[in-house]
């Protein structure tokens, strides 16, 4: 039943047999060994996996940050391997918002200037960008810290700026790579709640690579990646039955 | 759909913020350029000053070698300083790309930064090297000895500023182009 519903609704991200091989000297590393994954518009998908499992590589492929060695990634049914660099920049600018474990704010820009940057790239005037940037920062609870630089903000505040920045051009997809990885428990929970709110209220598709178990609660689906392959996919309904058990045993269970 | 570059003012503002916020780092870079160019300008000046001096003609060949060596030093020093400052910023370049920057926007930012630093520090270096040599000459042989310089001072200053700026821009822009062409994921991974 789940599968037939997936076919009917619009798929925003589709990967087909994605393989990625790195060469480290003479050694060949198979980061991904053929991953096929569908993500529906408006879904909240968590990609879980221990470090080295290939989940960050998968994240990079889906985000158009790297190209697969084999296989294809489709975003809105466009094969991103076929895009020229300016077309790829356009896609990153308007369709995808990125959130990183290390926040990746531009250090020399203030909170507001970080949020306005993608809008300036999209051709908005400085005034339009400032106005929208202010509203976005206010909506993530940072209306008072517009002109602070990243070094003057706490980790949680920096991640909120990053979320506001990711939303700058109303993207269809937000990609979050370990968004809570550098945050304490309470702040991490706040960031997760914020992402969930965006997902529910604005219908943004969220794809998050994580090994934070708190993420399980809010995800529609969890994709477990291991050794460069999808080990299993759990839907929320299946998960509700098991959640206590998973939390009890910890992430190494699977 | 293709991404278009934002107006040049966006790149210029970013370049100026980067210079202002990384004052210490940029000062070190600028100082390297300044010293290299000061050395070059001083050698050229003392060569020009001694050209009409019959006793120094013999030394002129040596001095020409010195000009060449000073240029080489300049090149190595500036390239090293600029290379380091670009390499430190691979992650920033990767982030820019994630936000929708085109490769040419990234190159523009580094170009403008290098242009500003290059012009300012080479000008300071050229006048410093030139000034020291002229002052030394005035002290030892009196002001009249400066006539040997004639109209030769302008080419010395201009060539010093031009060479310094050119090397600074080249040294910054070549690694910046390379970084901008990298896949964003690879640029983000670089830890310095």
């Amino acid at each position: 039943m789940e599968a037939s519903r997936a076919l009917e609704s619009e798929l925003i991200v589709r990967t087909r047999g994605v393989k990625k091989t790195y060469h480290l000297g003479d050694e060949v590393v198979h980061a991904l060994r053929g991953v096929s994954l569908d993500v529906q518009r408006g879904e909240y998908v968590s990609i879980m996996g221990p470090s080295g499992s290939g989940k960050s590589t998968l994240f990079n492929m889906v985000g158009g940050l790297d190209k697969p060695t084999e296989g294809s990634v489709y975003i809105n049914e466009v094969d991103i391997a076929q895009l020229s660099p300016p077309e790829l920049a356009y896609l990153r600018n308007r369709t995808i918002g990125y959130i990183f474990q290390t926040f990746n704010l531009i250090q020399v820009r203030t909170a507001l200037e970080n949020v306005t940057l993608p809008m300036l790239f999209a051709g908005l005037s400085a005034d339009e960008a400032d106005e929208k940037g202010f509203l976005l920062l206010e909506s993530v609870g940072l209306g008072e810290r517009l002109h602070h630089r990243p070094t003057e903000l706490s980790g949680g505040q920096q991640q909120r700026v990053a979320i506001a920045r990711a939303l700058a051009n109303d993207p269809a997809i937000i990609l979050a790579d370990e968004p809570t990885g550098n945050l304490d428990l309470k702040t991490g929970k706040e960031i997760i709640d914020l992402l969930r709110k965006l997902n529910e209220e604005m219908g943004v598709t969220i794809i998050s690579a994580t090994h934070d178990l708190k993420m399980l609660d809010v995800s529609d689906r969890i994709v477990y990646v291991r050794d460069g392959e999808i080990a299993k996919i759990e839907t929320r309904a299946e998960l509700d039955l098991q959640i206590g058990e998973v939390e009890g045993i910890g992430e190494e269970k699977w | 759909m293709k991404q278009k570059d934002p107006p040049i003012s966006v790149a210029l503002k970013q370049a100026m913020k980067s210079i202002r916020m990384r004052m210490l780092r940029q000062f070190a870079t600028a100082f390297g350029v300044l010293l290299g160019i000061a050395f070059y300008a001083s050698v050229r000046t003392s060569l020009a000053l001694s050209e009409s001096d019959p006793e120094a003609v013999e030394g002129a060949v040596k001095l020409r070698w010195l000009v060449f060596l000073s240029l080489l030093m300049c090149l190595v020093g500036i390239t090293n300083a600029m290379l380091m400052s670009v390499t430190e910023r691979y992650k920033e370049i990767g982030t820019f790309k994630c936000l929708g920057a085109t490769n040419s926007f990234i190159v523009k930012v580094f170009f403008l930064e290098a242009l500003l630093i290059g012009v300012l520090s080479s000008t300071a270096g050229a006048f410093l090297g030139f000034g020291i040599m002229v002052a030394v000459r005035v002290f030892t042989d009196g002001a009249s000895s400066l006539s040997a310089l004639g109209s030769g001072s302008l080419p010395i200053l201009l060539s010093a500023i031009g060479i310094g700026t050119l090397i600074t821009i080249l040294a910054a822009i070549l690694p910046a182009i390379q970084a901008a062409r990298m896949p964003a994921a690879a640029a983000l991974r670089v830890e310095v």
Side-chain angles (χ1 to χ4, degrees):
Chain A
M1 193 188 81
E2 195 63 33
S4 65
R5 249 194 19 227
L7 283 174
E8 279 165 25
S9 57
E10 199 184 347
L11 296 176
I12 192 152
V13 176
R14 212 152 60 83
T15 75
R16 285 295 172 267
V18 170
K19 291 185 186 173
K20 182 69 181 179
T21 333
Y22 293 107
H23 295 272
L24 294 174
D26 293 338
E27 205 183 334
V28 179
V29 180
H30 298 279
L32 292 176
R33 298 166 185 270
V35 171
S36 300
L37 177 69
D38 293 337
V39 178
Q40 296 168 54
R41 193 176 288 275
E43 226 184 341
Y44 191 129
V45 177
S46 287
I47 303 170
M48 299 275 290
S51 52
S53 61
K55 68 177 185 305
S56 285
T57 310
L58 181 58
F59 173 89
N60 289 337
M61 297 295 152
V62 172
L65 302 179
D66 211 346
K67 288 186 175 172
T69 317
E70 242 180 85
S72 317
V73 176
Y74 301 88
I75 292 178
N76 280 332
E77 296 305 324
V78 176
D79 182 354
I80 58 174
Q82 307 299 322
L83 296 179
S84 67
E87 288 169 336
L88 210 49
Y90 188 92
L91 176 91
R92 292 188 191 123
N93 187 215
R94 328 228 172 173
T95 310
I96 306 174
Y98 303 86
I99 299 170
F100 300 93
Q101 177 174 6
T102 49
F103 321 132
N104 290 24
L105 298 180
I106 305 290
Q107 295 297 314
V108 302
R109 300 179 77 95
T110 62
L112 182 62
E113 287 167 348
N114 263 282
V115 179
T116 55
L117 193 58
M119 297 187 246
L120 297 174
F121 288 150
L124 260 65
S125 74
D127 288 342
E128 291 167 325
D130 279 350
E131 203 174 310
K132 190 170 175 193
F134 172 69
L135 292 175
L136 280 169
L137 279 170
E138 208 171 38
S139 73
V140 296
L142 284 177
E144 308 288 305
R145 308 190 77 84
L146 299 174
H147 303 295
H148 287 67
R149 288 182 203 285
T151 46
E152 300 159 345
L153 297 170
S154 71
Q157 287 170 336
Q158 287 189 56
Q159 198 60 301
R160 282 165 191 275
V161 176
I163 291 174
R165 185 177 69 178
L167 291 168
N169 292 326
D170 307 308
I173 309 167
I174 284 194
L175 278 174
D177 190 5
E178 305 268 3
T180 59
N182 278 11
L183 300 174
D184 62 67
L185 252 127
K186 184 173 160 287
T187 321
K189 182 84 173 61
E190 284 166 15
I191 295 295
I192 292 171
D193 289 342
L194 184 57
L195 287 175
R196 184 66 204 180
K197 204 177 108 197
L198 294 172
N199 174 249
E200 279 169 356
E201 290 175 7
M202 298 166 65
V204 189
T205 308
I206 294 185
I207 303 172
S208 175
T210 187
H211 53 240
D212 185 343
L213 289 163
K214 293 190 296 298
M215 278 285 200
L216 295 181
D217 269 342
V218 296
S219 311
D220 295 323
R221 269 196 308 161
I222 298 131
V223 179
Y224 294 91
V225 179
R226 188 152 231 201
D227 297 328
E229 286 169 317
I230 295 182
K232 65 171 174 177
I233 300 181
E234 272 181 339
T235 62
R236 194 170 170 73
E238 291 164 354
L239 190 77
D240 282 341
L241 300 172
Q242 300 172 9
I243 188 111
E245 186 189 352
V246 172
E247 275 187 354
I249 294 173
E251 67 185 60
E252 290 307 319
K253 184 194 136 209
W254 38 273
Chain B
M1 289 294 269
K2 283 184 180 172
Q3 183 77 323
K4 290 187 192 71
D5 276 9
I8 189 80
S9 62
V10 177
L12 184 63
K13 275 184 194 153
Q14 173 62 31
M16 290 183 34
K17 278 189 223 308
S18 175
I19 292 177
R20 211 170 42 234
M21 294 303 298
R22 280 187 255 260
M23 212 44 143
L24 206 66
R25 185 75 185 82
Q26 303 280 22
F27 185 75
T29 309
F31 199 64
V33 178
L34 188 150
L35 283 183
I37 288 302
F39 184 54
Y40 169 78
S42 67
V43 172
R44 283 279 314 258
T45 310
S46 85
L47 180 66
L49 281 169
S50 51
E51 226 155 29
S52 60
D53 183 352
E55 291 166 30
V57 170
E58 216 176 288
V61 180
K62 259 191 219 160
L63 275 170
R64 290 226 162 73
W65 260 108
L66 265 180
V67 173
F68 175 73
L69 282 180
S70 69
L71 264 181
L72 209 64
M73 286 231 345
C74 213
L75 187 81
V76 173
I78 297 174
T79 309
N80 184 41
M82 292 310 286
L83 260 176
M84 275 306 296
S85 90
V86 177
T87 316
E88 281 172 358
R89 285 156 67 183
Y90 268 46
K91 196 172 170 183
E92 182 180 298
I93 292 172
T95 307
F96 268 122
K97 293 190 78 164
C98 288
L99 301 181
T102 55
N103 296 358
S104 71
F105 174 83
I106 291 162
V107 175
K108 267 187 225 163
V109 171
F110 279 92
F111 172 81
L112 291 169
E113 246 183 86
L115 182 72
L116 290 170
I117 293 176
V119 168
L120 287 175
S121 54
S122 321
T123 307
F127 279 98
L128 182 73
F130 178 79
I132 287 176
M133 280 303 148
V134 166
V136 165
R137 191 66 171 205
V138 170
F139 269 113
T140 53
D141 299 335
S144 61
S145 64
L146 286 183
S147 61
L149 204 56
S151 57
S153 48
L154 196 65
I156 292 174
L157 288 172
L158 286 182
S159 70
I161 295 169
I163 288 168
T165 308
L166 193 72
I167 298 176
T168 311
I169 291 173
L170 281 180
I173 220 161
L174 296 179
I177 289 174
Q178 195 204 356
R181 283 188 183 155
M182 276 166 91
L188 284 172
R189 255 197 309 271
V190 176
E191 295 284 344
V192 180

